[in-house]
Amino acid sequence: MQVNHTKKLVSNLKRATVIRGKWNGTKYHVIHKLGEGACGVVYLCERNGIETALKLGTDSARITTEVNVLKSFQRVQGKRLGPSLLDVDDWVTPGGITLPFYVMEYVKGQELATFLHGKGSEWLGVLLLQLLMDLGNLHESGWVFGDLKTDNLLVTSPPPRLRLIDVGGTTQIGRAIKEYTEFYDRGYWLKGSRKAEPSYDLFAVTMIMLEVGGRGRFERGSDPRQTLERKLQQATALKPFTPLINNVWAGNYQNGLEMREDLVNLLQRRPEPKKRNMPVSTRTSRRKKTKKTSFATFEIGAIFVSVIIFYLIYMLFFL
Amino acid sequence: MKKGTLKQILLLTDGCSNQGEDPVAIAALANNQGITVNVIGIIDDDQSEQPEGLEEVEAIAMSGGGVSQIVYQQALSQTVQMVTKQAMTQTLQGVVNQELKQILGEKKTFEELPPDKRGEVMEVVEDLGETCDLEVLVLVDTSASMTPKLATVKDALFDLSLSLNARSGNNRFSIFSFPDKKAPIHKLMDWTPHLDGISKIFPKLASGGITPTGPAIKEAIYQFGKKGLFGSMKDASEPYEETGF
Ligand SMILES: Nc1ncnc2c1ncn2[C@@H]1O[C@H](COP(=O)(O)OP(=O)(O)O)[C@@H](O)[C@H]1O
């Protein structure tokens, strides 16, 4: 009962509540709740005019585990893996209960499904490239993300960038996955073990694709593997990605970067030059193109069209 | 650090005991023998979250030094593995704390340590959790009301072995059911490292209307001492039995 009481307290903090660290003395002002997790609640807080995300927990062991992961990410120089860690402390509530918390960078973004709504499948491709790059880096530094799911992804913009949040499942390669969610777990789908291997994350990526490219999450049914095949066929938006997904399911990729390479090839193989994904590709290649004189006149037209499209998309972000 | 064996009883039930000794007392006995008692109370999908009779679930786990959770059937798999792991962490944390106290001579719990120290302790706990050996005796209540839930229980146990066998440490599982006509508990599966064969042995039908949870736990304690897989365990009284460096 004591536990229930504490849980209620933790998840119902009022605006302007002051959380003061017991060890460091730093004060945070609660703005509003961002979300609730298995081992704590995340609040948007303000400190000296800066917005931060503060995770207040009930389970000290799990909070500590997450802090350890975030700390070790900071040691990986120059690569951004998850939100950066700002502070770790305890809060003694007015009622005298001590609660552990940590403070991290506030990732201000949209949910993946919200972002993708009404956009072409090329956007899914672009965000997947980013996700696979981040996962690839994570894998190279010896970690597996583990609890990879749409709830743990946010798209910040502009420019649109997919970010990983919630490192609660992040596990050292070779160990048992710390935390997972059934729908994204390959063990649940009888597609492999729960050992932390890079391929564990890649399976979850394909489930994210099925979720956002199809009609959300679904049950595994009596024959899980067959269910997966069927759902893949039904998700017409995933047509271009089918070979990629099948490769993951066949266990053909050792890590995120390998899968990413195939995805790059797949995305670039698109035949028609004037599709909606022009803005993205033209932006990066514009500088190179000015050198190639032979196609100059043709390209001026193409760049002109794509700059207009790009501008329109940009406008949409600011409205 | 040392490698050792954690011992757990995992009780799956949907109601209150109604025969024999008080399970809360017997759970304390188990804990005293170095065995953690975890309890999962399963409720029907149309039941309210605080059904009567399930208060006992929390009380048994508390006195058994373990973790308890009340869940709907559909969440059973995830809960079973989570509760087991959480109990492991809890026990190991206790052991590490104990050692720290011996080293530092401090009377401090994990929560009272400064965050940095906590981080270090947690690393040790996680290492142990990954590498230690684990024995889980699953005790399934098969009284009449459990009948429609047994298929889900079977899936959840298979899933548990999937989770635990991803660790580097060794696992041993055994499965018992209760009530039984002749004895306090009925052996469904002897100690085994994998639960692959679980489909074959799992009962299709439940038995009886009584729920003698206390006597069942008492008999389960005896099952740890009985088998000889890890050498003598008869005089094990530490929650985490050390078997060397
Ligand atoms: N750094 C952050 N910036 C913005 N939002 C966050 C951040 N961390 C967590 N959140 C929000 O809080 C929710 C709960 O977070 P968390 O407790 O980490 O989730 P989980 O239940 O997956 O463990 C997330 O789904 C997300 O919406």
Side-chain angles (χ1 to χ4, degrees):
Chain A
M1 289 302 106
Q2 169 73 38
V3 175
N4 275 343
H5 175 75
T6 313
K7 275 214 178 110
K8 230 169 250 165
L9 175 100
V10 165
S11 63
N12 287 313
L13 291 185
K14 296 258 158 11
R15 192 189 170 86
T17 304
V18 177
I19 296 178
R20 185 176 176 278
K22 164 180 155 186
W23 304 90
N24 300 334
T26 314
K27 282 183 194 163
Y28 300 90
H29 296 260
V30 172
I31 299 174
H32 62 77
K33 197 198 281 191
L34 286 171
E36 211 155 322
C39 73
V41 182
V42 182
Y43 286 97
L44 175 64
C45 287
E46 183 260 353
R47 184 201 156 200
N48 297 337
I50 296 167
E51 288 181 331
T52 58
L54 184 150
K55 182 157 184 174
L56 187 63
T58 41
D59 184 338
S60 185
R62 287 175 70 169
I63 289 282
T64 305
T65 304
E66 295 187 5
V67 168
N68 277 351
V69 171
L70 288 169
K71 268 191 187 157
S72 70
F73 282 178
Q74 275 166 327
R75 282 178 228 132
V76 184
Q77 288 281 311
K79 282 170 188 164
R80 190 180 45 194
L81 311 169
S84 48
L85 180 71
L86 304 172
D87 192 11
V88 188
D89 214 321
D90 290 332
W91 177 43
V92 185
T93 68
I97 303 165
T98 304
L99 299 167
F101 72 84
Y102 66 85
V103 185
M104 61 192 143
E105 166 201 0
Y106 169 45
V107 180
K108 189 173 187 172
Q110 276 177 299
E111 278 175 28
L112 180 60
T114 315
F115 175 82
L116 287 175
H117 186 78
K119 291 192 180 67
S121 69
E122 65 274 17
W123 272 109
L124 178 59
V126 167
L127 295 183
L128 282 174
L129 283 180
Q130 299 174 352
L131 175 61
L132 289 172
M133 178 64 103
D134 286 351
L135 288 176
N137 287 333
L138 197 68
H139 297 158
E140 287 204 326
S141 39
W143 296 89
V144 163
F145 192 78
D147 199 7
L148 190 59
K149 52 178 171 178
T150 46
D151 319 51
N152 289 340
L153 298 174
L154 287 175
V155 185
T156 58
S157 47
R161 177 76 172 86
L162 195 70
R163 296 282 314 263
L164 290 164
I165 55 165
D166 183 19
V167 298
T170 308
T171 310
Q172 273 160 275
I173 289 179
R175 295 196 162 188
I177 290 287
K178 245 184 250 167
E179 212 175 288
Y180 63 85
T181 304
E182 280 178 347
F183 179 76
Y184 307 88
D185 165 51
R186 69 177 182 190
Y188 177 77
W189 293 99
L190 310 183
K191 286 275 194 188
S193 75
R194 280 193 191 126
K195 239 193 200 327
E197 296 161 350
S199 53
Y200 184 91
D201 280 344
L202 302 187
F203 180 86
V205 171
T206 66
M207 295 311 289
I208 288 173
M209 294 169 81
L210 278 185
E211 181 184 353
V212 299
R215 292 203 187 139
R217 301 184 192 178
F218 44 88
E219 301 282 320
R220 72 174 157 179
S222 52
D223 187 343
R225 290 167 210 242
Q226 209 188 332
T227 306
L228 286 181
E229 302 292 339
R230 202 182 58 239
K231 288 288 176 184
L232 178 56
Q233 274 173 14
Q234 286 168 356
T236 44
L238 294 183
K239 269 271 148 54
F241 304 110
T242 308
L244 189 79
I245 293 176
N246 278 321
N247 266 330
V248 174
W249 290 353
N252 289 344
Y253 301 118
Q254 294 304 309
N255 59 53
L257 297 180
E258 276 182 28
M259 181 176 169
R260 187 176 187 276
E261 219 175 280
D262 267 13
L263 178 60
V264 169
N265 292 333
L266 219 131
L267 291 171
Q268 286 175 348
R269 212 189 299 140
R270 296 200 139 183
E272 305 95 326
K274 278 192 200 166
K275 271 266 154 127
R276 280 183 59 193
N277 62 343
M278 279 296 271
V280 181
S281 51
T282 333
R283 190 160 57 125
T284 48
S285 51
R286 206 179 300 163
R287 248 173 279 121
K288 267 186 243 152
K289 279 182 178 170
T290 46
K291 281 188 202 156
K292 288 195 228 156
T293 45
S294 50
F295 294 116
T297 41
F298 170 73
E299 285 194 332
I300 287 170
I303 291 171
F304 183 70
V305 171
S306 47
V307 163
I308 288 180
I309 297 174
F310 189 71
Y311 181 69
L312 286 176
I313 293 178
Y314 231 77
M315 286 290 284
L316 282 174
F317 280 119
F318 288 113
L319 288 177
Chain B
M1 275 197 77
K2 301 137 207 139
K3 207 164 134 43
T5 304
L6 287 184
K7 289 177 245 170
Q8 296 187 355
I9 290 173
L10 175 65
L11 171 65
L12 300 166
T13 181
D14 70 343
C16 194
S17 67
N18 56 18
Q19 202 180 65
E21 298 116 312
D22 183 354
V24 181
I26 305 298
L29 207 66
N31 194 25
N32 189 54
Q33 300 275 65
I35 300 165
T36 306
V37 185
N38 300 315
V39 193
I40 294 177
I42 311 167
I43 49 181
D44 290 321
D45 294 341
D46 53 4
Q47 250 173 315
S48 77
E49 269 195 67
Q50 289 292 357
E52 275 172 61
L54 279 175
E55 296 89 4
E56 196 184 66
V57 161
E58 200 182 343
I60 299 174
M62 247 180 171
S63 86
V67 177
S68 72
Q69 187 85 304
I70 291 174
V71 288
Y72 289 106
Q73 269 192 74
Q74 44 148 340
L76 190 63
S77 287
Q78 282 230 308
T79 309
V80 164
Q81 61 92 21
M82 232 178 62
V83 160
T84 306
K85 283 192 193 162
Q86 211 175 317
M88 286 173 73
T89 306
Q90 201 170 292
T91 311
L92 292 169
Q93 212 175 292
V95 179
V96 174
N97 267 341
Q98 209 64 40
E99 303 223 350
L100 278 183
K101 267 179 216 165
Q102 276 171 16
I103 299 165
L104 305 172
E106 279 180 275
K107 267 177 45 185
K108 270 188 182 165
T109 64
F110 180 74
E111 282 76 15
E112 286 164 319
L113 292 171
D116 275 359
K117 281 272 170 300
R118 239 179 274 165
E120 288 168 30
V121 173
M122 211 49 219
E123 270 179 34
V124 177
V125 169
E126 271 184 44
D127 285 349
L128 287 172
E130 173 69 23
T131 55
C132 75
D133 292 342
L134 175 70
E135 298 176 348
V136 183
L137 185 149
V138 183
L139 198 51
V140 188
D141 169 359
T142 51
S143 59
S145 56
M146 281 290 286
T147 313
K149 306 184 186 97
L150 291 181
T152 320
V153 169
K154 185 192 73 191
D155 285 349
L157 294 179
F158 175 76
D159 195 83
L160 175 69
S161 87
L162 194 66
S163 275
L164 294 176
N165 282 323
R167 303 182 318 123
S168 341
N170 296 314
N171 302 300
R172 291 285 184 275
F173 305 94
S174 66
I175 308 175
F176 289 80
S177 68
F178 74 101
D180 182 65
K181 285 196 193 79
K182 292 171 216 127
I185 55 179
H186 173 74
K187 188 199 287 169
L188 291 174
M189 197 170 212
D190 205 352
W191 293 97
T192 166
H194 295 279
L195 291 180
D196 300 353
I198 190 170
S199 297
K200 286 176 225 112
I201 56 98
F202 228 67
K204 297 272 182 297
L205 280 174
S207 50
I210 52 159
T211 314
T213 313
I217 298 177
K218 194 170 182 187
E219 186 58 28
I221 298 173
Y222 179 65
Q223 296 301 322
F224 282 94
K226 230 165 121 176
K227 63 179 195 54
L229 277 173
F230 290 96
S232 161
M233 304 212 164
K234 281 190 182 113
D235 39 27
S237 58
E238 289 288 313
Y240 184 70
E241 194 199 357
E242 288 166 5
T243 52
F245 282 85

